[in-house]
Amino acid sequence: MSKKPQQKPVKPATATASGAVANKPIESKAEKTGGGMSLVKKLCIILAVFTFALYANSMLNGYVLDDVIMVRDNTIVAKGIKGIGELLSTPHMRGYLIIPNDTYRPLSLVMFAIETQFFGQSPAVNHFVNILVFIGCVLLLFTFINRFFDNEKPIAAFIGALFFAIHPVHTEVVANIKSRDELLCFLFAFWALIVFMKYMKEGKMMQLISGSALVFLSIISKENTITFLGVVPLLFFVYKNNDRKRAIAVTIGTAVSIIAFIAIRSAVLSAYDANTTTDIEFIDNALVHAPNFASRIATAVYISGQYIKLLFVPYPLLCNYSYNAIPFATFGSIGVLLSLAVYGFIIYFAIKSLIKKDRNPFAFAIIFFLMTISLFTNLFILIGAEMGERFLFMASAGWCMAIAFAADKWLITPAAALDFSGLKNPKVLAIIIPFSLIFGGMVYARNKDWKDNVYLYKVDLEKSPNDARLNYYLGTALAETVYPEEQDARRKVEIDSEAVVHLRASLAIYSLFSEANAEMGRIFDRERQLDSAEIYDERALKINPNHATATNNLGSVYLASGKYDKAIVMFKRALELNFDPKLAYFNMARTYNQMRKFDSAVACYKKTLEINPGYVDAYMEMGMSYFNMGRYDLAEANFKQVLTTNPNETAAINNLGAIYLNTKNYPQAIEQFKKSISLDAKYASAYSNLGRAYYFNKQYELAIQTFNQEISLNNKAYQNIPYIALSYKALGNMPEALKYEAIAKRFYSDFKL
């Protein structure tokens, strides 16, 4: 009996989705271009066009939520390209406010600066770029899943990426300009994984360097990428593990990029004293003051279950989750038990797969989800929010991968995996068409909700009426955005009343909400209900003695109440608390003016102008201080400075005339007062001054005529009646002079012709 010749094992050229990848680069049938466009490129175009169509209506929206902080009112972003160096070397919020516990996420801000440089402040452009970046995220997820399948299952990868594109839970990230940081973090993270996959096949050093650089770009967009310290070794030691040395290199490259970021972040924040850990506020994350530790963990488990629920049933979608939108739970709650059951099952499945070493792709999708959502569960560390749909953005890719793997296993036949026929399968169509219509319709509708703050808050409050911060947000938006734009006085009062209703609702849910108390104080101050304003500002400061805005507002109440010494104390305290120094110095100057301490007022106005040289109101009021000091030359210079900015500023023109009147330069005074009246025919003060200028210039008939015009505008304008009497006397018309003398004596008992 002859022996069969021994055969050497043949190394496969390709591998399955869960198997090893050959070192030799592979070109799949789907990637071959031949005589036309490849299937992969066609699928990419379909994804890109469909995604753009879904989100195109978000370009009609304005600035919402933190868009104001990051773009509209960010002083460094406003510098355009010139501000890029500063953005790269300062804390995240530095262009808007100074806080002790800032972050370092410069990349999205750099993009906003570039967009501002070329397009100015344009929410439409900012939204358009957000859509483009999201399309990039969709295409990179498609590419990653297809590479995970060794480029042999593009139809399955397309289905997974399609669900990522149409999922309504992503609307917050795309429609909220500020969330560019989330988009860029995802974009560069998956780009890095794809480049690392190429490195695992080809071993080119440039690929390793490029992948590591992409990881760095991802993490300077947002810190979520730190979870890739687990994702990368999982992918390249367990699933794409054909070369152990390269897997080690990829893991080290990822770690070095993240460590470099941590070092840079620490240096930047420390340089600006912005690296201090501060307490998390109850209103933002009620878990900090849960009834007990068991309730805190149970509620966190429930919230973790809500993230999975949103993947399958994305309703309701909310822009905010704060106290008491999610009530405290116990381990006896149905929602907590269901969450434990679901997480227990998927964790068991993933661990079992790893132990068996069968490299089940579903296990990768599950572990990816668990790793990337772990930062936001509040199970391990408490973060600054109980829940947020944006926190699900990266993690939802794991869910979409699982959909792709399920489609490959149960819906798409091997023969249709590389052909459009895979999408024509009735089973496939029965899933993607209804979901595309339902989810796509939800995305389109939700985009409209993000058009402005007031509309968004009203829509979301209907779904979550017990959210203290949402009520506060709506009240504040009405008071600070809608009110200033309204011209009708009666409607303004109605707007403030509506704002107070929502602020009261916020305080009814959480009475120790310092921000809501401060906003109530601000509204009552504006409505001149000073006693109520003082009560609410003092409440805010009792809750939070370091509340800068409430401190400044209480100073304003004291100023309006004539409590000038107390007002000065509050404004100085506001400066210590890093309240807007321009406003703090300006308010202090106004107070000194009322105290007739004009030298001190001028010093504070100058401080204001050092901070903001273009602050016109400071020039105007400093001019009045100099005027009251008798320093007419300096007063004139300040009023003229106002007019260089606004040549038609009637008050400044009138004030110039007053200077000329006081210095007896009557012809020039008359010229200025007449100019002021030509710009505002109902400007009573200008008529009063013009009449006096005519009188002192011995133009008595014109003086009488002008004073009568003033009285026609204001029938309580008694102060110039003596001048009318004196003018008639100068004209020799004693009957009229005596008539007006009698009228004047009603108000001025000592007046005599």
Side-chain angles (χ1 to χ4, degrees), residues 471-481 483-484 492-504 507 515-534 536-537 549 553 556-557:
N471 276 287
Y472 161 74
Y473 278 159
L474 179 54
T476 302
L478 289 166
E480 297 188 14
T481 304
Y483 180 96
K492 279 180 173 286
V493 174
E494 292 173 354
I495 291 167
D496 267 350
S497 297
E498 185 181 356
V500 167
V501 167
H502 290 290
L503 291 168
R504 288 193 192 280
L507 290 169
E515 298 288 348
N517 278 291
E519 189 61 29
M520 285 284 279
R522 183 177 182 277
I523 292 173
F524 283 125
D525 182 10
R526 180 163 65 199
E527 296 295 329
R528 313 317 292 165
Q529 298 180 42
L530 300 179
D531 290 343
S532 295
E534 186 172 342
Y536 279 102
D537 285 330
T549 302
N553 290 353
S556 297
V557 172

Side-chain angles (χ1 to χ4, degrees), residues 493-700:
V493 174
E494 292 173 354
I495 291 167
D496 267 350
S497 297
E498 185 181 356
V500 167
V501 167
H502 290 290
L503 291 168
R504 288 193 192 280
S506 176
L507 290 169
I509 298 166
Y510 181 50
S511 62
L512 298 179
F513 190 3
S514 61
E515 298 288 348
N517 278 291
E519 189 61 29
M520 285 284 279
R522 183 177 182 277
I523 292 173
F524 283 125
D525 182 10
R526 180 163 65 199
E527 296 295 329
R528 313 317 292 165
Q529 298 180 42
L530 300 179
D531 290 343
S532 295
E534 186 172 342
I535 289 169
Y536 279 102
D537 285 330
E538 287 179 345
R539 283 181 187 173
L541 291 173
K542 185 176 181 180
I543 297 164
N544 178 9
N546 296 324
H547 197 298
T549 302
T551 302
N552 178 76
N553 290 353
L554 185 56
S556 297
V557 172
Y558 287 148
L559 170 58
S561 304
K563 302 173 183 178
Y564 302 130
D565 290 331
K566 285 187 174 182
I568 292 295
V569 170
M570 299 311 294
F571 294 138
K572 287 182 177 179
R573 173 65 176 153
L575 280 171
E576 293 173 3
L577 295 172
N578 290 321
F579 182 76
D580 184 347
K582 175 192 73 177
L583 291 178
Y585 278 118
F586 185 69
N587 289 335
M588 208 181 306
R590 285 182 156 181
T591 309
Y592 281 129
N593 256 342
Q594 293 298 317
M595 299 169 76
R596 303 195 66 78
K597 294 183 178 181
F598 300 119
D599 286 334
S600 297
V602 166
C604 288
Y605 285 129
K606 287 181 177 179
K607 285 282 189 181
T608 300
L609 291 168
E610 285 176 14
I611 298 163
N612 184 357
Y615 196 19
V616 174
D617 287 349
Y619 285 110
M620 177 74 83
E621 298 203 11
M622 184 159 64
M624 289 304 302
S625 294
Y626 280 127
F627 182 89
N628 288 321
M629 294 165 70
R631 301 290 303 277
Y632 298 127
D633 54 338
L634 293 174
E636 181 180 7
N638 277 276
F639 295 141
K640 285 183 175 179
Q641 181 65 40
V642 173
L643 292 173
T644 59
T645 303
N646 185 0
N648 295 325
E649 176 56 58
T650 54
I653 296 168
N654 181 66
N655 291 344
L656 270 181
I659 290 172
Y660 300 140
L661 180 61
N662 276 269
T663 55
K664 300 183 180 181
N665 187 346
Y666 302 128
Q668 265 196 289
I670 290 168
E671 180 185 342
Q672 296 301 317
F673 296 138
K674 288 173 70 175
K675 183 178 179 182
S676 184
I677 290 169
S678 70
L679 292 169
D680 183 358
K682 295 182 179 181
Y683 194 0
S685 178
Y687 284 106
S688 175
N689 288 332
L690 178 60
R692 293 186 185 199
Y694 280 138
Y695 174 80
F696 288 116
N697 205 40
K698 303 183 186 303
Q699 295 174 267
Y700 301 119

Side-chain angles (χ1 to χ4, degrees), residues 390-432:
R390 62 191 178 280
F391 300 150
L392 195 51
F393 187 67
M394 179 81 78
S396 67
W399 184 76
C400 295
M401 291 178 209
I403 289 175
F405 299 151
D408 173 59
K409 186 170 184 177
W410 291 301
L411 296 180
I412 302 169
T413 63
L418 292 167
D419 191 89
F420 263 117
S421 61
L423 290 176
K424 297 176 183 178
N425 184 319
K427 293 180 181 179
V428 173
L429 293 175
I431 292 174
I432 64 174

Side-chain angles (χ1 to χ4, degrees), residues 164-203:
F164 187 80
I166 66 174
H167 205 292
V169 82
H170 297 152
T171 49
E172 175 182 348
V173 171
V174 185
N176 189 191
I177 297 167
K178 171 266 169 195
S179 289
R180 181 80 60 81
D181 53 3
E182 296 278 359
L183 291 166
L184 293 173
C185 178
F186 186 103
L187 181 87
F188 290 117
F190 272 87
W191 195 350
L193 293 181
I194 293 165
V195 172
F196 282 150
M197 282 176 150
K198 291 184 71 175
Y199 172 74
M200 290 296 289
K201 286 184 179 182
E202 301 171 15

Side-chain angles (χ1 to χ4, degrees), residues 729-746:
K729 181 181 179 182
L731 290 169
N733 189 341
M734 291 307 295
E736 286 296 314
L738 292 170
K739 170 185 169 183
Y740 277 95
E741 179 187 25
I743 296 172
K745 282 184 176 179
R746 294 185 208 167

Side-chain angles (χ1 to χ4, degrees), residues 706-718:
T706 304
F707 287 135
N708 282 325
Q709 285 177 296
E710 178 197 8
I711 293 170
S712 70
L713 292 172
N714 178 11
N715 58 16
K716 294 183 180 180
Y718 311 125

